[in-house]
Amino acid sequence: MGSDFYQQSILPYAGIIIKICRAYTHNHADFEDYYQEVCLQIWRSRANFNKQAKWSTWVYKVALNVCLTHLKQHKRGERRFASDALSELEFDEVKAFDSDEINQLYNAIKHLSEIDRAVILLYLEEKSYAEIAEIIGASSNSIGVRVSRIKERINKIIHQMG
Amino acid sequence: MSKSIEAMWKQGFVDEGELSVPKVNDLYNQKSQNIVDKLQAMFALNIKAIIIGCGVMFIVMTMIGAPLLGGYICLLVSPLIYIAKRELSKSYDLSKGQSSLDYLQNFDLWLKSSIAAYGAYYRVAYPLLYLGMVTQAIMSQAGHKVLALCLTQLPTDYVLFDVPYYLWLVILLVFVVVVRYSEAIYRFDLNVVYGRQFKKLEEIIADMRELKGV
């Protein structure tokens, strides 16, 4: 993009965009595609931004929408939903980051449903329940319970992965 | 699991330092190629469909006793196949060694000149097709019956090739309409089949121009 818009309005949020895109892709080429698509979509839809909301909230919302939409379009074969049948999970060891712990956490996150992935990423980024609810379009009352359930499940998966 | 996931996350990204941000300076490379590939594939498929359709048309026309009209339609369609193949091969020759925007703009120019070439063909082809159908209708047995019925109901001394003058007037009127609107009909057909892709191409070019500040 190379424009002022990218420097000022996207680059400061590149970290979260990267983290979100990583959670929805399985290889570097897809990750770069998703990242670029998110940047473009933020740029294209900048006119729709409601200035009463936070820009960061808007960025998260767009990033998640793009990833979820792309995932639906490009899905081939099985869909992975949260399931208690952990023994049947196949753990794909994606080395997206330098830190082994983060890679392990990401691989666990990738076994969650698409929406649960969004919820936990936003939670880990220290967004409030109200903000998470606004971004994913759910009621804020259910977020707390949902986060607890997701954390429990991630811990289970990590434990299984050994 | 001694460490909480919150601690893993925080610690992990502290160690990670700055996340490596992908380059976004050639955003539309892949998109440009995708839209061009898609349109080229559609055009190639269209050529095959025309050739197959032509063959089927000839067989059907022969079966219903109008082999001459079938042959005539095939003859009319041959230039279209030639034009389509020629135009498509031009698109493959477009240079890819430029920026995505230049490439797409060239593709768009090629598209417009192709549509103009097809438009010129259809301006002639549709009226000729209509004349062929009229000739077949007049020469067929069913046509003779209709003409006889017309002359019985509305007798007249002004007859040419067994066709009363008032039918010639109708034929002429329809011919004028076909001549006048042949290209419009073609463009309507074109939009039905390719409209969405053309719109997408326009949107991508507009996006790229705005990105580049053109």
Side-chain angles (χ1 to χ4, degrees):
Chain A
M1 201 168 288
S3 65
D4 290 346
F5 179 83
Y6 181 71
Q7 297 292 330
Q8 290 162 17
S9 305
I10 294 182
L11 214 49
Y13 306 95
I16 185 61
I17 299 173
I18 290 169
K19 289 169 188 174
I20 289 172
C21 292
R22 282 284 187 205
Y24 291 97
T25 53
H26 291 280
N27 58 61
H28 194 72
D30 280 354
F31 160 72
E32 288 206 333
D33 269 1
Y34 277 43
Y35 179 85
Q36 295 199 342
E37 193 55 44
V38 168
C39 293
L40 269 174
Q41 201 50 46
I42 292 168
W43 172 74
R44 275 197 211 110
S45 59
R46 63 197 185 282
N48 302 332
F49 169 60
N50 171 6
K51 289 186 171 61
Q52 287 168 334
K54 280 189 196 167
W55 176 251
S56 61
T57 304
W58 175 253
V59 170
Y60 295 142
K61 210 182 258 191
V62 172
L64 286 167
N65 279 341
V66 168
C67 287
L68 293 173
T69 305
H70 264 56
L71 207 61
K72 267 183 202 161
Q73 285 172 350
H74 294 128
K75 228 164 211 184
R76 294 192 196 103
E78 92 216 73
R79 281 179 66 116
R80 286 193 170 142
F81 287 110
S83 142
D84 290 326
L86 291 182
S87 56
E88 291 175 15
L89 292 177
E90 289 174 23
F91 296 111
D92 44 343
E93 294 293 330
V94 178
K95 301 278 182 198
F97 300 99
D98 293 337
S99 156
D100 286 342
E101 274 191 340
I102 285 293
N103 287 325
Q104 194 184 31
L105 186 50
Y106 256 93
N107 287 325
I109 287 171
K110 284 181 184 183
H111 287 88
L112 302 171
S113 72
E114 289 87 346
I115 294 297
D116 281 354
R117 275 184 243 182
V119 170
I120 201 65
L121 286 170
L122 293 167
Y123 166 78
L124 290 169
E125 283 297 298
E126 297 180 336
K127 296 286 133 200
S128 69
Y129 290 167
E131 271 181 295
I132 296 173
E134 189 194 338
I135 291 165
I136 69 161
S139 106
S140 56
N141 300 335
S142 63
I143 298 294
V145 178
R146 197 166 185 164
V147 166
S148 304
R149 191 173 43 77
I150 296 169
K151 279 166 68 178
E152 210 173 290
R153 178 158 166 72
I154 288 175
N155 285 325
K156 244 186 192 176
I157 295 171
I158 290 173
H159 181 72
Q160 281 257 328
M161 290 163 97
Chain B
M1 255 306 293
S2 53
K3 231 181 199 180
S4 71
I5 63 169
E6 293 89 338
M8 282 169 79
W9 185 264
K10 239 181 204 161
Q11 191 57 49
F13 284 113
V14 165
D15 295 345
E16 195 75 23
E18 276 189 44
L19 291 163
S20 132
V21 179
K23 285 190 177 126
V24 281
N25 44 6
D26 217 354
L27 280 172
Y28 274 106
N29 259 347
Q30 195 54 43
K31 279 183 187 304
S32 308
Q33 201 49 61
N34 284 350
I35 186 92
V36 169
D37 287 349
K38 189 160 189 176
L39 279 166
Q40 283 174 332
M42 285 172 90
F43 294 146
L45 187 70
N46 194 34
I47 294 172
K48 285 177 189 156
I50 291 168
I51 293 169
I52 292 166
C54 210
V56 170
M57 171 80 73
F58 183 71
I59 292 164
V60 169
M61 286 293 179
T62 305
M63 284 166 72
I64 63 168
L68 282 177
L69 180 61
Y72 176 74
I73 290 171
C74 287
L75 203 68
L76 265 185
V77 170
S78 334
L80 174 64
I81 295 166
Y82 168 75
I83 292 168
K85 285 193 164 182
R86 185 195 63 193
E87 291 300 321
L88 187 58
S89 71
K90 278 186 198 171
S91 84
Y92 293 129
D93 293 338
L94 290 172
S95 169
K96 292 183 185 180
Q98 317 155 73
S99 73
S100 299
L101 178 58
D102 287 341
Y103 177 48
L104 270 196
Q105 282 176 328
N106 281 344
F107 186 80
D108 192 47
L109 283 174
W110 162 83
L111 196 59
K112 286 181 168 72
S113 84
S114 279
I115 289 169
Y118 284 118
Y121 162 82
Y122 280 105
R123 270 202 304 273
V124 177
Y126 277 141
L128 287 177
L129 177 65
Y130 169 72
L131 290 179
M133 289 165 80
V134 167
T135 307
Q136 176 65 43
I138 291 169
M139 288 167 63
S140 68
Q141 283 185 342
H144 280 130
K145 284 178 188 168
V146 171
L147 292 174
L149 186 68
C150 286
L151 286 167
T152 309
Q153 297 294 322
L154 293 165
T156 177
D157 291 336
Y158 300 101
V159 174
L160 181 65
F161 302 123
D162 298 333
V163 180
Y165 78 92
Y166 46 83
L167 273 188
W168 278 121
L169 287 177
V170 173
I171 289 166
L172 185 67
L173 186 71
V174 174
F175 180 73
V176 168
V177 170
V178 170
V179 168
R180 172 70 183 79
Y181 292 105
S182 55
E183 194 173 347
I185 294 165
Y186 157 66
R187 285 182 186 269
F188 174 78
D189 281 352
L190 191 73
N191 273 324
V192 168
V193 181
Y194 299 107
R196 269 187 60 207
Q197 297 307 321
F198 290 168
K199 196 168 181 292
K200 211 170 176 180
L201 179 67
E202 278 171 20
E203 282 171 0
I204 290 176
I205 290 174
D207 267 4
M208 289 169 83
R209 280 181 176 155
E210 196 176 339
L211 275 170
K212 291 205 169 196
V214 175

